[in-house]
Amino acid sequence: MTDWTKKKYDEYYNSYVPWLEDKYLAWFGENKTSYATKEQLDKTKITGDKNIDAIQDGVNTGVTGQFKEGGLLGGVGDLVSKEGVNRAERGDTGLGEKQAIEKGKQEQKGWGDSIPGSSWVTGKK
């Protein structure tokens, strides 16, 4: 029973948490791309001088604002947030089950296995 419960919990978590995060950030006009960019740029303080840090904060706000809703790259930010970040967080490749299986089979091939007529190199027929 606990395996079933854990599986169901994971399914619901992976379905609803990304949606909740997106809704929360949307209240502030942000998406995951703009928020993550802001976090990373905030870590790059060049000096301890408050004037330079204020200028850098202004530049960072301008850059991250381009990925927000209504920004020049707002559509890109939304697309990366929904199709990139959310899928990466839940381990989704974006491939269907059949495509993922085929991809797994392709990745198991050696370098010579994918070359036509290469059986003389690999020794496999």
Side-chain angles (χ1 to χ4, degrees):
M1 184 78 168
T2 56
D3 290 338
W4 179 85
T5 306
K6 182 173 176 13
K7 182 180 176 185
K8 286 298 178 186
Y9 173 81
D10 289 342
E11 285 177 14
Y12 286 116
Y13 183 88
N14 289 332
S15 296
Y16 289 108
V17 169
W19 179 80
L20 287 170
E21 290 169 344
D22 289 338
K23 290 299 176 189
Y24 179 78
L25 289 171
W27 285 341
F28 301 102
E30 295 209 34
N31 54 43
K32 288 181 182 177
T33 306
S34 65
Y35 185 76
T37 304
K38 184 169 102 178
E39 275 190 341
Q40 292 304 312
L41 289 175
D42 283 346
K43 295 178 185 176
T44 61
K45 299 291 184 198
I46 296 172
T47 65
D49 185 8
K50 67 179 181 176
N51 295 325
I52 293 175
D53 287 346
I55 293 170
Q56 189 176 1
D57 287 341
V59 171
N60 292 353
T61 301
V63 169
T64 59
Q66 298 307 309
F67 292 107
K68 291 181 177 184
E69 183 181 328
L72 185 62
L73 299 171
V76 173
D78 287 339
L79 181 69
V80 170
S81 293
K82 288 183 175 61
E83 298 298 324
V85 178
N86 284 348
R87 284 187 176 178
E89 286 177 342
R90 62 179 188 253
D92 185 1
T93 62
L95 301 174
E97 187 176 337
K98 185 176 180 181
Q99 291 171 321
I101 291 169
E102 287 299 317
K103 183 179 180 197
K105 287 179 183 176
Q106 290 172 359
E107 289 176 353
Q108 291 175 355
K109 291 182 179 181
W111 65 271
D113 294 341
S114 58
I115 302 170
S118 65
S119 60
W120 62 273
V121 175
T122 61
K124 298 178 184 175
K125 295 223 179 213

